[in-house]
Amino acid sequence: MRLSKMHILWQNFLTKMGYTRPHGMVTCLIEMVFSMRQSSSIFIILFFMSGCLAKRPIAYVTPEKSLILGKKALDYTNNFRQRQGLPPVAWHYALTAAAQAHSAAMARHDVPFGHDGSKQRIASLPLRAYRSSENVYMTNAQGNTAKDAVDGWIASPGHHANLIGDYNHCGVGVCQNSDGYWYYTQIFTRF
């Protein structure tokens, strides 16, 4: 079936608004409206949209705020490493970009909360990492979420081991979704 330009624009709009996976009845309704090409029928779609479409959260945080929170988390990480007698890890933008992409994907519920795809994230980096690890954190708390994330990692044996590992670079990606949850991804590597 060939889609009309209006149909494609409408689908793009729904995707940008965070609506995904419309139920069969709504899909049929959309197909019917666009096949009839009646602009007044758009109100029928809008009427059904609120209750008949599965809505995923929209990921949002300004790049500036993500960078500020990520660097705060790095500062807390390096303060912890210093107390352990370890050298600091340096901020790395490619790691941060990979971490940011994962945080945004978790915030949108495109991937489950966790480490799914971590090996692929590391493999896609422009430099070869000799070793790497990843920490993730999720909270709906307000306040100093960067400190909360690092404190949570310190209290968790596996994440604690990552914090004190033999790494020299780190990137942190931060995203908040429309449900109010913050997602942090911290990637360590040794290049």
Side-chain angles (χ1 to χ4, degrees), residues 77 80-81 84 86-87 89 115 131-135 150-168 186-189:
T77 296
F80 176 71
R81 287 175 62 88
Q84 309 307 307
L86 297 169
V89 289
H115 302 285
R131 71 177 53 88
S132 64
S133 65
E134 179 181 84
N135 291 336
V150 175
D151 287 346
W153 293 329
I154 290 169
S156 165
H159 296 102
H160 183 277
N162 293 343
L163 290 170
I164 62 172
D166 183 24
Y167 302 112
N168 59 2
Q186 181 180 48
I187 300 175
F188 293 99
T189 59

Side-chain angles (χ1 to χ4, degrees), residues 107-170:
R108 289 189 309 266
H109 297 182
D110 291 343
V111 298
F113 173 74
H115 302 285
D116 287 359
S118 64
K119 289 181 181 175
Q120 292 86 351
R121 278 188 286 288
I122 300 303
S124 70
L125 295 172
L127 299 170
R128 183 173 177 260
Y130 295 102
R131 71 177 53 88
S132 64
S133 65
E134 179 181 84
N135 291 336
V136 294
Y137 179 78
M138 175 183 69
T139 184
N140 65 348
Q142 300 304 311
N144 193 348
T145 57
K147 183 174 185 333
D148 294 344
V150 175
D151 287 346
W153 293 329
I154 290 169
S156 165
H159 296 102
H160 183 277
N162 293 343
L163 290 170
I164 62 172
D166 183 24
Y167 302 112
N168 59 2
H169 291 92
C170 179

Side-chain angles (χ1 to χ4, degrees), residues 94-111:
L95 294 176
T96 299
Q100 183 65 32
H102 184 55
S103 289
M106 288 188 297
R108 289 189 309 266
H109 297 182
D110 291 343
V111 298

Side-chain angles (χ1 to χ4, degrees), residues 52-73:
C52 295
L53 295 175
K55 185 169 170 49
R56 68 177 182 192
I58 298 171
Y60 69 93
V61 68
T62 64
E64 296 82 15
K65 185 162 186 171
S66 177
L67 189 63
I68 289 167
L69 291 173
K71 287 193 172 185
K72 273 182 156 182

